[in-house]
Amino acid sequence: MGTDQAHIDHIQTFHTLVVLVLPLLAAIIGVIVPSKYKIAGWISTIAILLSAVFAIGVFTGVWNVTTVHTQTLWFTIASTNVYAGIWLNNLSVLMLALVSVIAVPVHIYSLKYMQHDERFNRYFTYLSFFCFSMLALVVVDSLVLFYAFWELVGFSSYLLIGFWFTRDKAVQANKKAFIMNRIGDIGLLAGIIIIFAQFKTFDLVQLFGEGGLISQSVLTNGQWISPVGQMPELWQYIACGGIFLAVAAKSAQFPLHNWLPDAMEGPTSVSALIHAATMVAAGVFLLGRAYPIFNLYELNTLAIIGCFTAFMAATIALTQNDLKRILAYSTISQLGFMIMAMGVGAYASSLFHLATHAFFKCLLFLVAGVVIHEMQHIREENNLDIDPQNILYMGGLRKKLPLTFIAAIVGALALIGVPLTSGFLSKDGILIQAFVWAEGKSWIYQVMPVMALFTTWLTAFYVSRMIVKVFFGKFRLLDINPGIHLHISDGGWYYKVPLALLSFCSLFPLFSLNPLIYEHAWLFDGLKPSNFLERVNIYHTLVPIGVNILSVVVMYTAYALYVKRNYTFPQHTALFRLSYNEWYIDKAYNKGIVKAVLWISNALYWFDKNIIDGIVNVFRKVAITLSELAVWVDRYVIDGILYLLTVFVRRTGNLVRLFQGGKVQIYLYSMLAAVLLIFILKFII
Amino acid sequence: MIGLTDFLLVSAALFCTGLYMVVSKNNAVQILIGIELMLNAAILNLVAFGRFDKINNGGQVFALFAIVLAAATTAVALAIILNVYRRYKTIDPGKINTLGD
């Protein structure tokens, strides 16, 4: 039995490594292949397809069956051994399968979407590398490796967001994403260091596994006591704060969320991947991995921030006109739901929502990609000066793009959380558990589920608005420019297959045979804690009914407002401006932080230029003066002495030469002088 | 009464004159005359000391020999000067410097 288990572990580890290595190999090949052969796309696609097949194999082998933990000694510093390895449990195999499966349609779609791009190979290199980083992130078992892949995910998203780096906006966007993520990375690093200082290990299994070191540690009397050490309580909060900062940066939560809408400057297929499975999922995944470390207060904070983010992003999405920006804010909003779910203890629902959201958000982005692609096509064909992403120019596209329209409807319904879709199962789970959580607590806690409920109706409204503006009514561009030609269609199978695949995955059958009760979803079942409460109270029936009836009303209202009456909301109220300007958060950051940073930089620049350089200049002047002094001394004292010597020698020589002049009489003179001298001396002495 | 000191003073004056001529004159013949003056000063000394000597006329005889020798050396010196003049067309001893470098 033991050997069988080891054998199974061995196979699963090997398959997981295959899953990781294939995209990495594709990325390496993509670098090598010359850019005139556009084959990197096919290589990457086949690699990710095989990865997905293996990942599903690993998933079925591990899910609810076993956990695999394989590790090998990586390096040793003093007495600390750092191991590198793979930890497969329900959470990581779910993510492994999710990431690779989502990546497949995105790759297929990209083959067509990017086919005319000069840097086609480079695009797929980045994309494969991105997938590799994310896939590795979810399976590693050491905090050191986790941090490394965390950084690589951030780095490859930076490359992809700035893929069209000739556009200034793209460069700004990828810089913003990178800097925001760096702030989170600092938090994660601080958290890792504190955890290591407390528990003396980087091993995720030892730390966060069942009955691991973290679940054994307690906070008592202002001390954080673990089996291997203790430190003041404050550090526990700092560690959790750091981890939350990392989560907030990657998963775009409130203080650090505003890189995500700007990241829309990347190719749409990249947005689909970032929003669905790779980048933003990393934050929620980290939260899932590090869940045991959070205590009750911290979980409440998480819930509040998640709820606030969800609400804020939903209100912003109401008034945006850029198709991709609406979707970006809807992602932030849904991520807020996931974080809130983590906070209220709905761990399984949070990850369930992550999985379902991955499919329908990917689907919606690919739909947006098709629409934008066709708008771009119209723009180029007719030489128009329009923004192809602006939904105010669109309308009535359901007849031109029927398949895209159906896919969009499926995605939108899933996002709203209408029954029979996957979104319903996961989102209602979160709402119900939020109500259960708030029950019996003070009114401040009661506000949160209500706010979440309200957010779902807002979601229903802005999603309906978007769908209606894009697909219903009349084609507004045609109203403005009546003479334009329209040659648009759903595109080839490169577009159709991914859309169909993802549409299917956004419906309930993939997750549950019972479309109405979330507890029956197998995914939820595999992740829920063992002490999960059964359906005990009224919320389980009341919430879904209430949500959906009102959602339907809201959707119809949106349809009625925009299609039938062509209604426009007043655009100058304070609320509209607050929403349209994205709560002025970017502006506040620009004014508060960016300006302060610039001011400090300028001050430092001034300090550097005037004080530091000034000191250096003083030193320079002193040195110059000293050397001038030295030159003077050298020239007049040292050289002077030598000169004097030469003068003396010359004079002496001249004097001596006088006696040797060949004049006999002078010899006589000198003899006379010598004799006289002797006489005089003799006389004196 | 003329004493030894007077003789010695005259002799000294003669010697100094001769010495002055030897060191200051540009003409070899004049230098030769200076040499002769110095020689004569020495002879005068011999004669003066001879007068107070116990051996009779020893100083005078020695003086006679000295005069003869002086005449002989003068003859040789004049011959040399003549030869020098023939060769260099000058008798200034300062200009006869071809032995020097």
Side-chain angles (χ1 to χ4, degrees):
Chain A
M1 184 66 198
T3 50
D4 277 4
Q5 185 61 40
H7 185 63
I8 290 167
D9 282 9
H10 187 72
I11 287 176
Q12 300 301 359
T13 310
F14 177 71
H15 285 185
T16 311
L17 285 177
V18 170
V19 171
L20 301 190
V21 165
L22 281 170
L24 182 65
L25 267 181
I28 292 168
I29 293 170
V31 173
I32 298 166
V33 171
S35 58
K36 60 180 172 181
Y37 304 112
K38 293 195 167 184
I39 54 166
W42 281 106
I43 293 167
S44 290
T45 310
I46 290 163
I48 200 73
L49 194 64
L50 287 173
S51 266
V53 169
F54 276 99
I56 291 168
V58 173
F59 179 75
T60 49
V62 174
W63 179 262
N64 278 354
V65 175
T66 177
T67 58
V68 179
H69 183 213
T70 316
Q71 64 180 186
T72 171
L73 186 63
W74 187 15
F75 58 82
T76 306
I77 298 172
S79 60
T80 306
N81 290 332
V82 177
Y83 292 90
I86 286 172
W87 180 25
L88 300 174
N89 61 359
N90 278 1
L91 175 59
S92 49
V93 290
L94 169 67
M95 291 299 292
L96 193 71
L98 183 69
V99 171
S100 51
V101 168
I102 291 282
V104 172
V106 172
H107 272 76
I108 296 171
Y109 184 90
S110 299
L111 283 173
K112 178 82 175 168
Y113 195 76
M114 300 300 286
Q115 71 176 349
H116 297 301
D117 199 283
E118 282 175 11
R119 294 161 66 242
F120 180 82
N121 284 356
R122 187 51 51 88
Y123 171 84
F124 278 97
T125 305
Y126 292 166
L127 206 61
S128 289
F129 190 66
F130 199 7
C131 293
F132 160 70
S133 311
M134 187 65 198
L135 289 169
L137 178 78
V138 299
V139 295
V140 292
D141 76 332
S142 151
L143 280 172
V144 180
L145 278 173
F146 188 89
Y147 185 73
F149 286 111
W150 182 268
E151 291 285 350
L152 283 180
V153 169
F155 170 67
S156 31
S157 73
Y158 164 82
L159 289 176
L160 283 167
I161 292 167
F163 183 72
W164 287 317
F165 57 81
T166 46
R167 297 182 188 170
D168 188 47
K169 275 173 96 179
V171 175
Q172 297 293 341
N174 74 352
K175 264 197 294 189
K176 190 170 178 181
F178 199 65
I179 290 169
M180 287 294 198
N181 274 293
R182 296 303 306 169
I183 297 171
D185 296 343
I186 291 166
L188 181 60
L189 191 58
I192 289 175
I193 291 167
I194 293 169
I195 287 172
F196 180 72
Q198 173 74 321
F199 299 102
K200 313 282 185 285
T201 178
F202 289 115
D203 194 325
L204 284 167
V205 181
Q206 284 181 33
L207 288 168
F208 300 109
E210 269 188 43
L213 288 169
I214 282 184
S215 56
Q216 291 172 38
S217 66
V218 280
L219 292 172
T220 43
N221 298 328
Q223 290 287 313
W224 184 26
I225 299 164
S226 81
V228 290
Q230 66 173 50
M231 53 172 70
E233 196 179 27
L234 176 69
W235 293 106
Q236 202 268 346
Y237 288 102
I238 294 177
C240 287
I243 291 173
F244 171 70
L245 208 60
V247 171
K250 274 278 186 300
S251 287
Q253 290 306 292
F254 162 58
L256 299 173
H257 68 277
N258 52 348
W259 65 269
L260 193 60
D262 287 18
M264 296 299 107
E265 288 302 325
T268 308
S269 42
V270 172
S271 304
L273 199 57
I274 286 181
H275 284 250
T278 49
M279 184 83 172
V280 297
V284 180
F285 172 75
L286 170 62
L287 212 50
R289 271 283 200 237
Y291 198 62
I293 201 174
F294 291 92
N295 66 25
L296 208 57
Y297 299 109
E298 289 154 353
L299 287 177
N300 287 347
T301 316
L302 277 182
I304 289 164
I305 290 175
C307 181
F308 176 71
T309 309
F311 176 72
M312 179 193 72
T315 57
I316 293 171
L318 289 176
T319 58
Q320 299 302 310
N321 290 327
D322 185 316
L323 181 55
K324 284 174 79 178
R325 252 186 134 73
I326 298 172
L327 289 174
Y329 275 107
S330 80
T331 304
I332 296 176
S333 183
Q334 299 307 310
L335 288 165
F337 271 111
M338 292 171 211
I339 303 292
M340 183 184 79
M342 285 284 182
V344 300
Y347 177 83
S349 279
S350 174
L351 293 167
F352 185 22
H353 195 52
L354 179 68
T356 56
H357 173 257
F359 287 106
F360 60 69
K361 188 48 63 70
C362 189
L363 172 64
L364 281 173
F365 264 107
L366 296 189
V367 165
V370 174
V371 171
I372 291 165
H373 190 78
E374 298 307 326
M375 290 301 284
Q376 192 109 27
H377 188 65
I378 293 171
R379 185 178 80 156
E380 275 161 19
E381 203 175 22
N382 298 294
N383 288 322
L384 300 174
D385 183 26
I386 56 161
D387 177 6
Q389 302 189 10
N390 194 330
I391 57 169
L392 298 182
Y393 292 122
M394 302 170 190
L397 292 177
R398 72 178 188 280
K399 287 167 197 152
K400 309 275 184 196
L401 311 169
L403 187 93
T404 312
F405 170 64
I406 293 165
I409 289 291
V410 171
L413 291 179
L415 179 54
I416 294 165
V418 173
L420 305 183
T421 64
S422 59
F424 170 80
L425 291 168
S426 54
K427 199 188 255 184
D428 279 3
I430 292 173
L431 289 172
I432 290 165
Q433 285 169 85
F435 273 103
V436 173
W437 170 79
E439 196 181 25
K441 291 187 175 150
S442 75
W443 65 271
I444 300 174
Y445 293 105
Q446 306 277 1
V447 169
M448 289 213 345
V450 176
M451 213 158 134
L453 206 58
F454 188 58
T455 306
T456 59
W457 295 325
L458 289 179
T459 309
F461 186 82
Y462 71 71
V463 174
S464 311
R465 168 177 178 265
M466 179 184 84
I467 294 294
V468 162
K469 289 240 180 197
V470 174
F471 290 104
F472 288 91
K474 284 185 291 183
F475 193 27
R476 278 177 287 277
L477 195 60
L478 213 56
D479 289 348
I480 307 166
N481 302 289
I484 58 174
H485 306 282
L486 300 176
H487 299 108
I488 57 175
S489 68
D490 277 328
W493 68 270
Y494 292 99
Y495 287 170
K496 283 178 181 161
V497 168
L499 290 182
L501 190 68
L502 289 166
S503 300
F504 170 73
C505 293
S506 300
L507 295 171
F508 73 94
L510 183 65
F511 297 99
S512 169
L513 290 177
N514 184 338
L516 296 175
I517 300 169
Y518 73 93
E519 286 97 331
H520 291 190
W522 55 266
L523 207 159
F524 181 84
D525 206 44
L527 290 166
K528 73 180 179 195
S530 43
N531 59 351
F532 182 72
L533 291 171
E534 288 303 317
R535 300 171 72 90
V536 285
N537 53 37
I538 189 77
Y539 293 120
H540 290 79
T541 347
L542 212 58
V543 170
I545 294 170
V547 166
N548 284 298
I549 289 175
L550 250 160
S551 284
V552 171
V553 171
V554 167
M555 280 153 66
Y556 181 75
T557 316
Y559 178 76
L561 280 176
Y562 289 115
V563 177
K564 292 197 171 157
R565 298 197 197 156
N566 211 3
Y567 180 78
T568 317
F569 279 98
Q571 309 223 329
H572 301 287
T573 59
L575 281 175
F576 179 87
R577 273 182 282 136
L578 182 70
S579 164
Y580 188 74
N581 291 306
E582 302 167 11
W583 284 44
Y584 298 101
I585 286 170
D586 268 351
K587 283 179 186 165
Y589 283 175
N590 270 335
K591 276 202 177 140
I593 295 168
V594 176
K595 270 201 180 157
V597 169
L598 284 179
W599 187 85
I600 291 171
S601 312
N602 281 331
L604 286 176
Y605 174 72
W606 181 89
F607 183 79
D608 195 42
K609 195 171 170 62
N610 290 313
I611 310 287
I612 308 283
D613 284 13
I615 291 169
V616 172
N617 279 339
V618 167
F619 274 119
R620 189 197 64 177
K621 275 184 185 155
V622 168
I624 286 175
T625 318
L626 275 175
S627 30
E628 274 172 355
L629 198 70
V631 166
W632 187 88
V633 167
D634 197 42
R635 181 167 297 163
Y636 292 99
V637 179
I638 311 285
D639 285 12
I641 289 168
L642 285 176
Y643 184 69
L644 264 179
L645 260 171
T646 58
V647 167
F648 176 74
V649 168
R650 193 169 68 219
R651 289 279 162 85
T652 317
N654 282 344
L655 193 70
V656 171
R657 206 170 55 184
L658 273 181
F659 300 121
Q660 308 292 329
K663 296 212 173 188
V664 183
Q665 283 162 312
I666 290 171
Y667 299 165
L668 281 174
Y669 254 135
S670 31
M671 272 163 66
L672 180 62
V675 169
L676 279 175
L677 199 68
I678 289 166
F679 267 99
I680 289 165
L681 284 174
K682 204 175 168 190
F683 187 71
I684 290 168
I685 301 163
Chain B
M1 174 81 204
I2 298 167
L4 182 61
T5 312
D6 302 311
F7 284 110
L8 291 182
L9 280 172
V10 172
S11 167
L14 264 176
F15 186 85
C16 286
T17 314
L19 191 62
Y20 173 72
M21 283 181 74
V22 167
V23 298
S24 62
K25 293 301 173 188
N26 288 336
N27 193 320
V29 177
Q30 284 174 326
I31 290 168
L32 198 56
I33 291 169
I35 290 170
E36 286 303 318
L37 282 174
M38 285 155 73
L39 204 59
N40 283 341
I43 292 166
L44 186 59
N45 271 9
L46 276 174
V47 173
F49 283 117
R51 194 177 160 200
F52 299 100
D53 197 4
K54 286 179 178 144
I55 299 165
N56 285 339
N57 299 327
Q60 278 82 349
V61 172
F62 201 79
L64 276 174
F65 274 101
I67 290 164
V68 172
L69 277 172
T73 52
T74 309
V76 172
L78 276 171
I80 290 170
I81 289 167
L82 268 173
N83 273 318
V84 166
Y85 182 73
R86 274 198 205 134
R87 193 177 178 94
Y88 296 103
K89 296 297 172 201
T90 178
I91 49 170
D92 183 348
K95 289 183 180 162
I96 302 159
N97 53 4
T98 45
L99 273 178
D101 46 22

